[in-house]
Structure formats: C-alpha cells, structure tokens
Amino acid sequence: MTDYIIVGAGSAGCILANRLSADPTAHVTLLEAGPPANGVLYRIPAGFFGLMKAGIGNWHYECVPQAGLNGRTMYFPRGKVLGGSSSINGQVLLRGNQGDYDGWAQSGATGWSFEQCLPYFRKLERHPDGDTHYHGGSGLIGVTVPPPINELSPVAQAWFKAVEQAGYPYSEDLNGASQEGIGRPDANFADGVRQSTASTYLAEALLRPNLTVITGAQATRVIVKGGRATGIEYARKGRRHILETSGEVILAGGTVNSPQLLQLSGIGAPGLLRKHGIAVAHELPGVGENLQDHACVVIKQEMTQPLSALPYTQPLRATMALIQYALFKTGPTLSNGLEAMAFFKTRPELEYPDVQYHLLNLLYEDHGRKVIQRHGFMASANISRPHSRGSVRIAASDPLAAPLIDPNYFAEEEDMRTARAALRLARELIAMPAFDAFRGPEYAPGAAVQSDAELDQFIRNSALSIYHPVGTCRMGTDPMAVVDPELRVRGIDHLRVVDASVMPTIVSANTNAAAMMIGERATDFIIGRQGARTAMAA
C-alpha cells in the first residue's frame, strides 16, 4: 500500500512526486494518463510549435459551442504526457502581478498573498541573475532571459522602439517590482533544453526506489469510504485497477481533469451527478464551476521585408535546424521565439494592466496549425483579467468520455470592451515610426475594420484560447469553494487538489509558473512544514 497517490504527472504533479518522495520512508505512486515525454520536440525550445501542429502529448479537447464567439467551438489543448502542459507549452515563465495573489488572499484564500507566494516562485528557479528578492538561483527550473534589446531581431527591436515612441513604459523585469510595460520575458528553457517538470523534478526523483510512476493510467474514480478518500480506480490497457493508500489522494490533473474526476466520483453538484446516474458521495456545488481562461485577439501585420521567422517553418529549413540542434545544439531552435512581451492598461485609472501582448514574428492561424505564407508579425492580446466565467462538467458517467468544457467567452460585455481596446492599442503601436521601414498592409482584421461593431464581429469570429484555463476547483472558505486554503477538498478527508484549478481568479499572465508554485507550496502543507503554516496564519 502506498502513502501518497498523485493523479496527474503535470506541472504540479511532478513537483509533488519529487518533494514527497524525498522522504525515503514514504512510498509515492504517480499516475499519468499519457506517455513519457520522449522525442526531440519535447526537448528543444522551438519544439512547442511542432507539438501543437502535430497534436502530440495532448488530450485534443474541444470546448462546447460558444455564444460569445458566434457559435464557434474551439480547440482546447491540455497536456497528456509526463510533465503535462509544461512539456508542450510555449515555455513562458511569467507569474502575473502582485495584485493577482493579494486578491486571492482577500477573497478567502488566506495565506496566498504575493509576498507569501514569492518564496515558492524563487524556490522553483535557477535564474541567471542568481538569488535576488524576486528570483531564485538554485532551483530545478532553469531560466533563460532574451538577449539585450540591441541583440534582438529587427522586429523585436522595433517593438521596443515603438513602445517608447508611443510613451508607454518599459519593464526591466516582468517578474519584478512592476509588470507594466514591454519587457524581455523569462522562459523555462536553459542550455538549449526545455525545462518541464518532467525533465527536471521528475527526472531527479525517478532514481528513488520509493517512487512508482505508472503511465498510460487514466484515473476513473476516487474511492471514498466513510467520508475519506482511500484510493483510486484507474484504467490501463483496457483493464480496471484499484490502488489504495494509507495516506492522501492528491488530484493534480489540471483544470479540466480534476473536476471531471471529482464529479465521476460523486463529489459535486447533486443535480449534475444524478442526471448521469452517479450516486452523490458528497455535495460540493462549486466543482467544475468558475472556469476562467485568457481569450486572445490578434492583429496580423504584413511586412515589406523578409524579416519574419517564416523561412524556418519550411520543411527543408526546419529539418536543417533540427540537424543543427542535434549535432551542435545551436541555431534557431534554441529559442521559443518570444523575444518581447508587453502588459498595458487600456484605461489609465486601472491599478494593474488588463491586457498582455505576445509579440510574435510570424503569421499563422488555427493555433499554429496553418502558417500564413507571407512575411509578417502578430500582436496577440490576452484579456488579462476576464470577467466571464464558465464550467467543466461531465457529459456522461463513462469516465473515458470527454467532459463538456464551456469557457463562456465574452459573456460579460467588459471583456469585449477590453478586447476592442487591445486591438486599437496594438494598431497605435504598429503605426509608430519604428515600423516605417518594413510595415506592410494589415493582414487581419484589415484597415477597413474600424467601428466598434466591426471590431466586435472580428473578435467573435476569430478570438482563440491562449491555453490558460484555471479555477474549476477554487480555493476559499465560502459555500462554492471546492478546497480550503491548504488545498484540502472540503468535506472529504485525505483528499486534495493541487493544480491550476484551485486558483480563485486567473493570474494576469501565462499560468504555468503559478501552477508550479502551487505544487511547491502544497508540499509544505502536506508534510506539515512550519514555514507554510506560518504563512497561512500571517
């Protein structure tokens, strides 16, 4: 019998497996529905683009038709591989701003303010700046910062110059004292290798005899007896298995799979469970609710000079780049292609930025699965703090059936206003003299699209997920909270959720760093370290 069962070897799950198995007297079992992260695309920083196009290591989810997107469904990728989404994402290592975490603490997630989370962010990192107030120098996740501005590509340099010309700020460190402005984003790759939690935390822990990792194992039910989680039922190679524990069951399947598994186990809203013939083990109406995601809208701008990354997407050049990496670990595959990123306010009275720009030196559509064969660049703008809320709910009692994912994009008018403002702000920057030397026509939405109504239609017809879903097992103390501030499922003993689903509100940046921080923080709760409990009481 094992001491800990961790369901999901993703961004948080691999961290938990490492930290909990560091105690040689504790036996830890880690279940993962996907395979190991084998292959060169999982290693090279630029490999995420190929992974996305091929759909490797992915659950291949689609969300339900969205009223706010004119009835469109949407590709909703989530990692299904050791390392989870940290093995297939764009490797942006940004935390959000301090107000995100202070807001968590004020909403009932006591002990999760920014200053209380900061030590765990620092613990993750092996940052080139070493140990500072905002960064750590000895963590397992190697960090890369893009080169100085004068060494960046011409397009990235133009972005920095345009922001300066427009009078917007520059941020020396987007994970530092001030997020607002354009900056060079930290990334979790180092020495030419992706730093997923599988290649770092889990790789270190695999040498320990007290850690068992089972891949290809899809959890189908949490076993609950007498109000206590006692094990997991899972399916592997067409057979049903039962794994029992004398300690804790920890769900780390992510924002989609953790609430799905709770619902399949009879933990959730009674009406939903009974609809699918599932006996109610524990009423917890917040399970699967509060889904939040960053919807993005994109200005696509053609260039009059061949300065984009388009040549490297062509089969011959892409193959040559892979060979160069394999032989010498040099060349264009050593970067994730994100040299510049920006956080701006669409209204001056806001305390924190409400839009985030990924500034990309390539034109593509359909989540990168279709590259536009023209030289150009994109300003992809996230709505950083969306007001709309959606849900994840089981579609059937069959545990292998995909759940119904409803982000409910643009249900709130404020999100549309922010998206519209983000497009206009991007156009303002592209109109700056910095782009005069190579600015071509606007590819999309096109110069003719100007009015609020026209922009709204463009947004509804083209907005996409930027793959940051959170919130479906929200932590707090009110009746709709699913877990308490120590991430224990309310009303069920020896059961926790440790992943991005516990976030009360989405952070104002890419969510992977926060998910990893949650994994580090949870370890201290589980093993009862004094530091975490002191932070909770603060």
Side-chain angles (χ1 to χ4, degrees), residues 354-414:
D354 60 341
V355 291
Q356 172 190 4
Y357 292 90
H358 292 69
L359 305 171
L360 303 161
N361 194 16
L362 186 69
L363 294 177
Y364 61 77
E365 296 175 343
D366 190 23
H367 308 269
R369 295 182 290 190
K370 177 184 176 184
V371 176
I372 298 168
Q373 299 300 308
R374 302 187 189 188
H375 283 284
F377 59 85
M378 300 193 300
S380 174
N382 294 354
I383 303 168
S384 296
R385 295 182 158 196
H387 289 69
S388 302
R389 299 289 185 268
S391 63
V392 172
R393 297 169 184 163
I394 53 173
S397 59
D398 177 4
L400 303 184
L404 301 175
I405 303 169
D406 181 9
N408 204 21
Y409 296 118
F410 298 104
E412 298 293 333
E413 175 58 31
E414 180 61 19

Side-chain angles (χ1 to χ4, degrees), residues 7-13 59 61 63 76-80 84-86 104 251-263 286-294 388-394 402-407 409 465 467-475 482 497-507 510-512 514-516 518:
V7 180
S11 300
W59 282 94
Y61 289 132
C63 72
F76 207 83
R78 309 308 306 145
K80 186 183 181 182
S85 293
S86 79
W104 290 6
L251 307 188
T255 297
V256 174
N257 297 94
S258 285
Q260 177 194 26
L261 185 57
L262 287 174
Q263 292 166 356
V287 173
E289 302 304 304
N290 192 49
L291 175 63
Q292 300 154 60
D293 188 23
H294 287 144
S388 302
R389 299 289 185 268
S391 63
V392 172
R393 297 169 184 163
I394 53 173
L404 301 175
I405 303 169
D406 181 9
Y409 296 118
S465 169
Y467 328 124
H468 297 161
V470 307
T472 51
C473 296
R474 177 173 66 85
M475 65 173 151
V482 176
V497 179
V498 181
D499 55 39
S501 72
V502 305
M503 297 185 196
T505 52
I506 196 167
V507 295
N510 308 66
T511 50
N512 193 236
M516 290 191 287
I518 289 167

Side-chain angles (χ1 to χ4, degrees), residues 100-349:
D100 295 331
Y101 302 94
D102 292 343
W104 290 6
Q106 292 160 10
S107 72
T110 307
W112 289 84
S113 71
F114 178 76
E115 286 300 323
Q116 291 164 319
C117 292
L118 181 58
Y120 297 92
F121 280 120
R122 295 178 69 251
K123 187 177 182 180
L124 290 167
E125 295 183 340
R126 189 173 72 255
H127 198 279
D129 289 347
D131 284 308
T132 65
H133 178 72
Y134 289 105
H135 294 288
S138 57
L140 291 178
I141 301 292
V143 179
T144 289
V145 181
I149 295 172
N150 62 359
E151 297 178 18
L152 299 178
S153 68
V155 175
Q157 290 188 50
W159 275 114
F160 280 93
K161 189 66 175 177
V163 168
E164 178 186 2
Q165 290 169 344
Y168 292 100
Y170 167 72
S171 175
E172 184 65 41
D173 181 359
L174 293 171
N175 282 330
S178 176
Q179 180 195 54
E180 185 178 4
I182 191 171
R184 298 173 299 137
D186 289 357
N188 55 305
F189 59 85
D191 303 318
V193 179
R194 173 192 284 273
Q195 304 285 288
S196 72
T197 57
S199 67
T200 54
Y201 282 87
L202 187 59
E204 179 181 82
L206 284 174
L207 301 174
R208 300 170 185 158
N210 61 325
L211 173 64
T212 300
V213 179
I214 307 174
T215 56
Q218 184 167 342
T220 55
R221 180 170 62 97
V222 179
I223 300 169
V224 179
K225 296 179 181 178
R228 171 178 174 166
T230 62
I232 286 288
E233 177 186 276
Y234 67 94
R236 187 171 191 264
K237 296 182 178 180
R239 297 183 59 187
R240 174 179 170 272
H241 302 265
I242 297 290
L243 181 63
E244 296 182 320
T245 179
S246 57
E248 291 200 25
V249 174
I250 305 164
L251 307 188
T255 297
V256 174
N257 297 94
S258 285
Q260 177 194 26
L261 185 57
L262 287 174
Q263 292 166 356
L264 290 168
S265 308
I267 302 169
L272 174 67
L273 304 180
R274 294 186 182 117
K275 174 184 176 182
H276 296 293
I278 297 173
V280 178
H282 179 59
E283 180 176 347
L284 208 55
V287 173
E289 302 304 304
N290 192 49
L291 175 63
Q292 300 154 60
D293 188 23
H294 287 144
C296 74
V297 293
V298 184
I299 292 286
K300 296 175 181 171
Q301 180 68 44
E302 291 189 54
M303 290 191 285
T304 58
Q305 297 184 37
L307 299 175
S308 76
L310 178 63
Y312 297 107
T313 68
Q314 309 307 308
L316 179 60
R317 290 288 290 272
T319 301
M320 291 175 62
L322 285 174
I323 293 171
Q324 183 179 357
Y325 177 87
L327 294 177
F328 309 109
K329 201 178 278 189
T330 59
T333 62
L334 293 183
S335 169
N336 64 350
L338 287 166
E339 298 177 298
M341 193 164 288
F343 295 85
F344 295 129
K345 301 174 183 177
T346 62
R347 290 176 289 149
E349 67 270 20

